[in-house]
Amino acid sequence: MGKFKEPFGLENMTSTKNTTFLERSMASSAFSPDKNKGLMLSGSPGSTSWAFALIDLEAEDKEHAPYAMSARGSWAAISSTDQTLHFGLSGSLRMLDGEEFEVDERAEIHSLKKVVESGSIETNKLLLTAVDFSWVGGPMSLQSEYMNADLDAVNSNESITMNGYYFQMSYFLTGERRNYKRGAFYAITPNSKKGAWELTTRYSVLDVTDASDGSRQNTTTLGINYYYDDNIRLIGNLLHSQSSVSINGSREGNGVGFRIQYLF
């Protein structure tokens, strides 16, 4: 009981300290619930994990009483020192009672202006669903998620369906592997005092074309990570994005991001 991150999605449940890229994917950022107040029950019997949360959502309008129920389950079909195979399923039913919901994403660059927008929609009910998969084999890993949002609007003409997905791959040149436990990934520990080098790539899509002013965006990222030790990491990302609509006179754009991260 308290304020916590709602159980939803693999990338969302992995701390930003341990995610592979500078930013989470567009779909994860758009649809994954944030930290909210409520009650959560969870467990991790054997190779599975589960969590269920009842959430009291904050209301912008005092006459509204929004709430949500969110749940996630995961199964490690393979979990050994050499290999991990994970599957996950998430859902969140959000009874918004007329509160507004919107998607406004920056295409995986935090400093970029919002380029994928649905506009604010007064919403009766929002159903979020997600499936996720990951495989780790030694220094190589694959990960993917698909997310869907069915929005029941106060004005039935504004009811829409939105979705998004991503696929990513990473490889440690220095032989490390991603650490998995109970349905999420944790910190990397370099094998030597020289640190660890990781090559990464991701293809990401967010589609909100059902909205009156919505669009579809896809972003391809190439990246490199250097882990100096357990606490210091350097992250570099090169991104290329394409949109279904013109933004500042163009439907394509490039970006570069870099971060020095220190973990306390």
Side-chain angles (χ1 to χ4, degrees):
M1 181 179 294
K3 189 172 185 178
F4 50 83
K5 184 184 293 185
E6 294 184 41
F8 189 90
L10 173 58
E11 196 175 32
N12 182 57
M13 298 309 295
T14 299
S15 169
T16 53
K17 297 183 293 185
N18 304 317
T19 51
T20 304
F21 297 88
L22 280 171
E23 307 293 343
R24 290 190 173 102
S25 67
M26 292 183 289
S28 292
S29 181
F31 302 133
S32 297
D34 205 346
K35 291 183 178 180
N36 287 298
K37 294 179 181 179
L39 172 67
M40 182 165 68
L41 301 174
S42 63
S44 52
S47 60
T48 66
S49 71
W50 64 270
F52 173 81
L54 182 60
I55 304 296
D56 181 21
L57 297 171
E58 293 186 6
E60 295 292 333
D61 188 328
K62 294 182 179 180
E63 295 183 357
H64 296 163
Y67 67 93
M69 293 177 287
S70 298
R72 181 169 188 261
S74 71
W75 173 45
I78 301 174
S79 183
S80 68
T81 56
D82 298 321
Q83 189 173 190
T84 299
L85 178 62
H86 155 98
F87 298 97
L89 179 65
S90 304
S92 180
L93 178 60
R94 313 183 76 76
M95 307 302 292
L96 299 185
D97 194 26
E99 288 286 294
E100 292 184 344
F101 177 84
E102 67 176 322
V103 169
D104 51 357
E105 286 306 307
R106 294 180 168 86
E108 297 164 9
I109 299 181
H110 184 69
S111 59
L112 190 69
K113 76 171 188 176
K114 298 171 183 177
V115 295
V116 187
E117 299 179 280
S118 65
S120 297
I121 303 173
E122 292 183 349
T123 304
N124 287 321
K125 178 175 66 177
L126 179 67
L127 177 61
L128 303 172
T129 54
V131 292
D132 58 80
F133 150 87
S134 66
W135 172 81
V136 179
M140 177 175 284
S141 74
L142 307 175
Q143 181 173 313
S144 183
E145 295 189 68
Y146 174 85
M147 295 184 176
N148 189 82
D150 289 313
L151 186 151
D152 177 25
V154 173
N155 179 352
S156 60
N157 292 327
E158 295 183 329
S159 295
I160 58 174
T161 296
M162 303 171 283
N163 58 68
Y165 62 89
Y166 71 87
F167 178 82
Q168 70 180 53
M169 179 173 64
S170 72
Y171 185 84
F172 280 95
L173 299 174
T174 43
E176 289 76 9
R177 59 166 290 167
R178 298 179 73 198
N179 296 315
Y180 173 90
K181 185 179 180 181
R182 298 177 181 175
F185 285 98
Y186 293 85
I188 300 296
T189 299
N191 290 337
S192 74
K193 293 182 178 179
K194 294 182 180 180
W197 289 93
E198 180 185 26
L199 300 179
T200 64
T201 185
R202 177 173 67 191
Y203 179 73
S204 175
V205 173
L206 179 60
D207 189 340
V208 298
T209 50
D210 258 11
S212 58
D213 296 319
S215 63
R216 185 181 190 274
Q217 184 93 8
N218 61 271
T219 299
T220 303
T221 304
L222 298 176
I224 186 167
N225 298 327
Y226 173 65
Y227 302 80
Y228 177 75
D229 57 21
D230 290 351
N231 303 106
I232 300 175
R233 177 168 67 142
L234 281 66
I235 313 166
N237 287 174
L238 175 64
L239 304 95
H240 176 72
S241 292
Q242 296 174 306
S243 175
S244 62
V245 298
S246 180
I247 301 171
N248 295 330
S250 176
R251 295 193 176 190
E252 298 187 28
N254 300 307
V256 177
F258 178 77
R259 179 184 298 153
I260 300 175
Q261 178 176 291
Y262 180 79
L263 304 181
F264 293 92

